[in-house]
Amino acid sequence: HSDTNHPLILSTLGGGSCRSAGRSSNRSLSFHTTGHRCWSAMLSSRNSVLGCWKKAGQVGARPARCLHACKRKLPSLTSTWDHLRTGGQASAIQAAAPPHQARVSAQSAPTAPSDGAGHENPCSRCPSAAPHLQLVNGLTIQMTGRSVSPLVLSYPTSAGTLYIGIDGPIQDNHPGNGGLRIWKYASEQDAVAECRILASTMTLKHRVYNTGFSGAKLVLNATNAIAGINKSELMAEVSAILHELCGTVYTGCDLNTSMEDMEILTELCPYVLASVGCLTDANDATGYGVYASIEGAAEDLGGLDGLTCLVLGCGKVGSIVAQLLVQAGAKVLTYDIYHDRANIPGCTNVSDQDWRTIPTDILSPCSTSGFIDTHTAAMLHTKIVVGSSNAPFKDAAAQDVLETRGVVFVPESISSAGAVLADSIEQFDFEAYRSARPAYVHAYIHSLVKSKTRELLNRARISSRVPSHMLEDVCTDPYTPPVGSFFSQYLEEHTQHYDVAVIGGGMAGTAASYWLSKLAPEMKGVVLESRTVAHKGGSSYGDSRMYRQMYSQEYFSRMQTAALQLWDELEKESGVQLLKPNGLLFYGETDTGETVEGSVRGVQQTCEQLGLEHEYYADPEGMRKKWEQIRPGEKYEGVYEATAGSVNASLSCATMMGQAQQRGWSLMENTRVEDIQVSEPGNVQILTHDGKLIKAKKLVLCAGAWTNEVLRKMGMEEMALEVWNVHWGHYKVAPEIAPNLPQWFCFQKDKEDEGSWDGGLYYGFPPEDKDSSSPVIKVGIDFTPNDQKFRTEGMEGFAYTPDPRVASLIDQFVQENWSGIGERRDMQASPYTMTKDGYFVLDKLPGRPEVCMFTGGNGRAFKFAPLIGRCLAELVLDLPPSYDLSPLSAMRTALRKEKAKVAAEAAAASPAGQSSIGSHASSNEGHHSNGNGNCNGSHGYSSGTTASNGISSKAGEKLGV
């Protein structure tokens, strides 16, 4: 340690041995050279070896791990290299270190220690065939405070030369730690230089977080092709070398080494930290750490949502970073020299472009070292650089060019520390690490890296310096316990207890919290939302959704009637107007058959049966007289419901959440759920990405298009859901016609059999502000083209960028069917969560009575929001439901993936012309579906079609609102 001011002089003599010289007499580091050379730690003051075996038997840990835990109790061992001779001849290269970091001196070799009988002490821990030790770099180092210069040791192996960079004192109670990298370098000098730089970088990582280690790096300069290396033989050789270093160096995975390699190495020696036998993957930990640093840096840009991020290098770490950025709402570009590797769901592959010229907000390099030279640094069009690449700059000049331009660079010693943090936990809180689910480790790492990133950037801003010059200011106090030892304590301190937790801040989640706070005000609840309430990327965003009582199916007509009473109650309670009665015109062709929106004659029949007030237009002339701008076909008919209108979706979600918060509920926005455990009935454990551990008695799952992703995290069977990409946009209208434009829905026959994507269902809303000088209307489609890119099994791969061909269909419809409507102002795409039979899921999760859920809004759910929320609350509280939920069972066959597939095949083979809800897709009746989902386990499996109210549906066809 830096407070020990006496050097321990080490050297070797051919065929002899050496000992340490210094004032500390209770420990010595010795070299023994009876045909080989090795180091061993002599622990003369304590019987630590016996103690470690005893402890290992008590806790079931590896003896070597306990040995080093015992050693840490002893005084620190400090060593300084003077010179190391082999065969009496020095073989060393002067370290390229500043004068204050190193100075040359010559010392005579001390006498070897003996066992008291004149015999050299053997090293029982090291194999007799240990490789030859040769000092390659760092000829002479004299400790002066913390300033040290890396050492690089050279070992021949069957696969090439192995270089071990050690940046700091050689000591087994504060060992060096760095991964084993395999690469074919252009020269020995290149390999040595990278080893030295990476070891130094590793030291910064360890010092910044106080991991309990110093910096080291193992670099193998492969003689031949890397693919031809005999890894088993190489790992045996590496094991012998690590034994020779007697616990002063630990290693793990790095470039071109795998977990399989580390498993082999772990069997041969204890000096491996690679999560072998544990649930956590250290490479994953690196990816989560990089994402945390990006998230922290992005706070200066207003958060990740909507930012453009380029991930450079899409290996294991880069792909994790890219996927997490997609989940956070960023626009993610990916680049890799292997083009196909950059094809990551939800990302845009730009591998065929010059990445240096692409404008971005954040560049995340997750590739090899030294690729940013001065020319590249001058070209980059980005605001922040933060990634996993160790030493990404070719030299200091390149880094200076970038930072001089005002680009913020977060050093990799901050951002790429996930693996060393995992190593620290593995070493210093092993039992907790071994049993912990990966998400718990990732959450701890996320909290450490994000907070350290913010600390660095804040200090840099206050001092008006670039962040990379502030690393010394953010290093953790080395005299505190290692950061890994706080893992268990962290989990305890970040645990919060609730009666009910709701996942999803869309329509269903906010409605459930609203009603739970009303029906059970004594209960403590929380809503967890990965972004913000009713965020733009989900299905509950926007200012307009249709509400209407005219359906072809009485089930939904009656449901709307019941929901309207609850909407009125919510408006009166909150004092906020949420519904706007515009009237609604259903019009179009009468030979479309029953679609997801019904049909013109079907809704007319339901209105008459239920006694709903309506107007019927038997020909287009009556419609043209009432609405001058409409251009109906000659055989069009229409039905008008004067009491129908629109719901302000985003405002409704905010209002319901606000009412719940007034009654004591909590809202956690920008909080992504990473893990869910239901270990026993009434014990739900939810871990968030930022380290919060939520324990609740009940869970309400309202994750919408992300439902199956959440089910996977619970270890539950996924449902047969599809996520459809539905388009809508805004069009300019002349101010003089704005007051007379209706809310409408048009039915036309599907033209897909003619090779067109036109599904025939279109809708429109009148201007929100009819008195505006530049009013706009919203127009969208209620179908999704039968193309795989528009229908996915989840949000991975969902394309928010509108498709030009679909947009042109809407443009064409507007021009042909309405007058006075001008150019398109924008076009957007939203996700709809679809079931095979067109019915929601509102139930308890099968086999998990403490979990209630809503999903499969099918683009038609928002109008029922208060009723859906009340029914969810009643399920949680085991109260009788306010509406018949039997058609919405989670146990119905249409929700089982394999059964749904069989049903779809059977439906495809059925006679043409049967009544079907599947001939059209449904977009939203005004925009997005709710994006939330739930199910009930109280019902048995139903038949393949839903028969309630005489409705049937061919599974697998287009279904919608």
Side-chain angles (χ1 to χ4, degrees):
H1 282 289
S2 58
D3 61 341
T4 305
N5 295 316
H6 61 281
L8 299 181
I9 308 304
L10 307 179
S11 64
T12 60
L13 299 175
S17 63
C18 76
R19 68 179 181 183
S20 64
R23 288 176 292 182
S24 177
S25 61
N26 64 327
R27 303 182 68 195
S28 62
L29 187 66
S30 301
F31 284 23
H32 303 276
T33 54
T34 54
H36 68 282
R37 292 165 176 79
C38 62
W39 304 339
S40 70
M42 309 303 293
L43 310 177
S44 58
S45 64
R46 300 195 185 195
N47 195 356
S48 295
V49 176
L50 294 178
C52 84
W53 284 102
K54 180 178 180 182
K55 182 177 179 182
Q58 293 172 346
V59 302
R62 295 192 294 234
R65 186 180 307 281
C66 300
L67 171 63
H68 288 287
C70 294
K71 289 181 181 180
R72 285 193 296 271
K73 300 176 182 178
L74 296 177
S76 172
L77 173 65
T78 304
S79 61
T80 303
W81 289 68
D82 183 51
H83 65 270
L84 186 61
R85 303 177 185 275
T86 56
Q89 299 295 322
S91 176
I93 303 172
Q94 172 63 49
H100 71 278
Q101 289 187 321
R103 68 171 180 263
V104 178
S105 64
Q107 303 286 343
S108 60
T111 306
S114 69
D115 60 2
H119 304 293
E120 293 182 1
N121 287 330
C123 179
S124 59
R125 295 169 59 192
C126 303
S128 59
H132 184 70
L133 178 63
Q134 179 185 15
L135 181 61
V136 174
N137 200 352
L139 172 63
T140 308
I141 309 294
Q142 173 65 54
M143 290 293 294
T144 57
R146 292 178 180 271
S147 297
V148 295
S149 179
L151 302 173
V152 177
L153 310 178
S154 170
Y155 293 85
T157 74
S158 60
T161 303
L162 177 66
Y163 300 98
I164 300 182
I166 307 172
D167 186 40
I170 309 304
Q171 49 191 359
D172 57 356
N173 69 327
H174 199 83
N177 179 24
L180 170 58
R181 171 173 296 200
I182 302 176
W183 194 250
K184 188 175 177 61
Y185 294 89
S187 66
E188 176 188 6
Q189 288 75 17
D190 288 346
V192 171
E194 176 152 284
C195 186
R196 184 177 66 249
I197 292 171
L198 293 178
S200 178
T201 301
M202 292 302 297
T203 285
L204 282 173
K205 292 181 184 181
H206 292 300
R207 288 183 57 211
V208 164
Y209 293 98
N210 188 31
T211 63
F213 296 99
S214 60
K217 202 69 180 181
L218 280 68
V219 171
L220 179 79
N221 186 12
T223 304
N224 299 307
I226 295 174
I229 293 176
N230 184 328
K231 288 291 192 69
S232 296
E233 182 179 355
L234 176 61
M235 291 305 114
E237 294 172 301
V238 173
S239 168
I241 295 168
L242 292 176
H243 272 292
E244 179 173 305
L245 299 177
C246 285
T248 60
V249 175
Y250 282 70
T251 194
C253 290
D254 200 283
L255 188 64
N256 291 317
T257 52
S258 65
M259 280 298 295
E260 289 74 16
D261 300 330
M262 294 302 110
E263 289 171 359
I264 295 172
L265 189 57
T266 300
E267 290 296 318
L268 300 173
C269 78
Y271 309 119
V272 182
L273 290 170
S275 302
V276 175
C278 303
L279 300 175
T280 300
D281 185 323
N283 285 323
D284 292 353
T286 299
Y288 277 85
V290 171
Y291 168 77
S293 191
I294 294 173
E295 188 180 85
E299 288 188 4
D300 290 337
L301 302 180
L304 279 169
D305 195 6
L307 294 186
T308 299
C309 302
L310 171 59
V311 178
L312 195 63
C314 299
K316 189 166 186 179
V317 172
S319 61
I320 290 173
V321 173
Q323 291 165 13
L324 292 173
L325 288 171
V326 169
Q327 293 176 23
K331 178 184 177 182
V332 184
L333 312 178
T334 50
Y335 179 98
D336 199 281
I337 57 174
Y338 302 104
H339 185 279
D340 291 346
R341 197 157 65 173
N343 291 328
I344 297 174
C347 304
T348 301
N349 189 341
V350 295
S351 298
D352 55 351
Q353 301 179 38
D354 184 348
W355 62 270
R356 300 172 299 177
T357 64
I358 300 174
T360 63
D361 295 299
I362 296 175
L363 172 66
S364 183
C366 299
S367 56
T368 54
S369 305
F371 63 92
I372 301 179
D373 56 19
T374 54
H375 179 65
T376 300
M379 292 178 63
L380 294 179
H381 295 274
T382 193
K383 300 171 184 175
I384 299 174
V385 175
V386 51
S388 68
S389 295
N390 289 316
F393 296 99
K394 183 177 181 180
D395 49 36
Q399 183 173 336
D400 289 341
V401 169
L402 186 81
E403 293 178 323
T404 301
R405 295 178 53 221
V407 178
V408 174
F409 170 57
V410 179
E412 65 275 17
S413 51
I414 297 283
S415 61
S416 187
V420 300
L421 291 170
D423 289 348
S424 185
I425 304 170
E426 182 179 1
Q427 181 77 342
F428 297 105
D429 198 354
F430 179 64
E431 291 305 311
Y433 185 79
R434 182 172 61 176
S435 60
R437 291 162 71 95
Y440 289 62
V441 177
H442 298 159
Y444 183 44
I445 290 171
H446 181 281
S447 69
L448 294 170
V449 176
K450 182 178 180 180
S451 62
K452 189 64 72 173
T453 301
R454 289 309 314 160
E455 180 185 359
L456 178 76
L457 297 180
N458 289 337
R459 285 178 177 266
R461 182 173 58 254
I462 293 171
S463 63
S464 300
R465 297 169 63 191
V466 296
S468 63
H469 295 176
M470 301 295 297
L471 286 174
E472 288 295 331
D473 296 73
V474 298
C475 287
T476 305
D477 184 353
Y479 299 103
T480 58
V483 65
S485 64
F486 294 104
F487 176 55
S488 296
Q489 179 182 336
Y490 170 86
L491 294 179
E492 293 176 5
E493 292 176 349
H494 287 74
T495 299
Q496 302 178 31
H497 296 269
Y498 294 91
D499 295 302
V500 185
V502 177
I503 296 178
M507 176 277 291
T510 56
S513 66
Y514 166 69
W515 274 101
L516 281 166
S517 70
K518 287 189 67 169
L519 298 179
E522 74 285 354
M523 297 183 76
K524 183 180 179 182
V526 61
V527 174
L528 305 173
E529 168 54 50
S530 64
R531 300 186 195 174
T532 57
V533 167
H535 63 86
K536 189 175 182 179
S539 303
S540 298
Y541 166 80
D543 54 14
S544 52
R545 297 291 188 285
M546 289 188 184
Y547 70 86
R548 60 187 172 95
Q549 296 180 84
M550 53 180 185
Y551 267 97
S552 293
Q553 302 89 19
E554 290 187 16
Y555 179 82
F556 290 112
S557 292
R558 296 182 184 276
M559 179 181 282
Q560 181 69 93
T561 302
L564 285 172
Q565 297 176 5
L566 300 181
W567 277 116
D568 183 64
E569 182 179 327
L570 173 60
E571 287 184 319
K572 290 178 179 177
E573 180 182 329
S574 64
V576 180
Q577 182 182 355
L578 303 172
L579 274 61
K580 181 186 294 185
N582 298 318
L584 173 63
L585 173 66
F586 262 33
Y587 78 106
E589 298 171 341
T590 58
D591 56 351
T592 59
E594 285 301 312
T595 73
V596 292
E597 293 300 334
S599 66
V600 174
R601 291 184 176 175
V603 299
Q604 179 203 13
Q605 181 179 1
T606 300
C607 287
E608 291 176 350
Q609 290 175 345
L610 298 181
L612 300 176
E613 183 180 346
H614 69 286
E615 300 174 23
Y616 175 66
Y617 297 89
D619 57 58
E621 186 60 30
M623 290 184 279
R624 278 196 289 261
K625 287 182 179 180
K626 186 164 185 175
W627 299 284
E628 296 179 0
Q629 289 72 37
I630 194 171
R631 296 174 180 172
E634 290 305 314
K635 295 183 179 181
Y636 281 17
E637 299 179 8
V639 180
Y640 179 71
E641 180 187 347
T643 56
S646 66
V647 183
N648 190 316
S650 294
L651 181 59
S652 296
C653 292
T655 299
M656 291 186 288
M657 190 68 249
Q659 293 298 114
Q661 287 177 287
Q662 288 182 20
R663 299 188 184 99
W665 271 60
S666 299
L667 170 64
M668 297 183 186
E669 294 183 300
N670 300 307
T671 303
R672 187 177 64 251
V673 171
E674 288 292 336
D675 188 74
I676 306 174
Q677 260 187 302
V678 185
S679 56
E680 57 186 0
N683 184 12
V684 179
Q685 297 184 43
I686 305 168
L687 186 75
T688 66
H689 81 289
D690 55 354
K692 300 184 185 75
L693 179 57
I694 309 296
K695 291 189 176 182
K697 299 173 184 176
K698 296 289 185 71
L699 172 65
V700 183
L701 175 57
C702 303
W706 292 268
T707 295
N708 277 334
E709 179 182 330
V710 176
L711 290 176
R712 287 195 296 270
K713 291 176 179 179
M714 296 179 66
M716 300 297 293
E717 181 180 354
E718 296 179 30
M719 294 184 173
L721 302 172
E722 283 188 336
V723 177
W724 286 13
N725 187 307
V726 184
H727 287 55
W728 56 277
H730 292 96
Y731 290 79
K732 296 178 180 179
V733 296
E736 59 271 16
I737 71 171
N740 195 43
L741 288 173
Q743 185 172 310
W744 52 268
F745 197 100
C746 182
F747 294 82
Q748 296 178 346
K749 289 189 289 294
D750 188 335
K751 300 180 181 64
E752 289 194 348
D753 291 341
E754 303 172 11
S756 170
W757 277 359
D758 191 351
L761 301 181
Y762 296 83
Y763 67 85
F765 285 89
E768 285 296 315
D769 184 1
K770 296 183 179 182
D771 298 325
S772 171
S773 60
S774 55
V776 296
I777 64 171
K778 184 168 84 172
V779 181
I781 56 174
D782 227 6
F783 62 86
T784 296
N786 191 14
D787 188 291
Q788 186 176 5
K789 72 177 182 179
F790 296 110
R791 305 183 183 192
T792 59
E793 292 188 354
M795 287 302 291
E796 291 186 356
F798 184 88
Y800 285 102
T801 303
D803 186 277
R805 183 175 169 186
V806 176
S808 67
L809 288 175
I810 303 177
D811 292 344
Q812 181 179 348
F813 174 88
V814 168
Q815 297 304 317
E816 293 178 355
N817 290 270
W818 292 87
S819 63
I821 298 179
E823 64 183 7
R824 169 164 39 99
R825 194 180 72 175
D826 60 46
M827 184 62 61
Q828 301 185 47
S830 298
Y832 281 31
T833 312
M834 311 297 293
T835 60
K836 297 294 183 182
D837 57 9
Y839 278 75
F840 317 144
V841 183
L842 204 170
D843 203 346
K844 291 185 176 180
L845 186 62
R848 293 293 187 192
E850 56 278 289
V851 181
C852 303
M853 68 180 299
F854 178 90
T855 195
N858 292 282
R860 69 169 81 184
F862 206 102
K863 63 178 70 65
F864 309 116
L867 182 59
I868 288 172
R870 178 164 187 161
C871 291
L872 281 170
E874 289 164 345
L875 286 175
V876 170
L877 301 172
D878 294 320
L879 299 175
S882 296
Y883 197 75
D884 176 21
L885 301 182
S886 56
L888 313 182
S889 168
M891 298 290 286
R892 62 187 194 266
T893 304
L895 297 176
R896 301 175 67 188
K897 278 196 168 182
E898 290 303 316
K899 294 288 185 180
K901 181 178 179 181
V902 172
E905 293 171 351
S910 64
Q914 74 177 48
S915 175
S916 171
I917 277 190
S919 60
H920 286 277
S922 151
S923 78
N924 72 312
E925 297 207 337
H927 187 347
H928 319 53
S929 70
N930 80 343
N932 305 302
N934 284 287
C935 43
N936 228 314
S938 57
H939 311 290
Y941 284 104
S942 64
S943 60
T945 60
T946 302
S948 177
N949 300 302
I951 309 163
S952 66
S953 162
K954 291 194 293 182
E957 291 192 353
K958 294 175 292 181
L959 303 171
V961 184

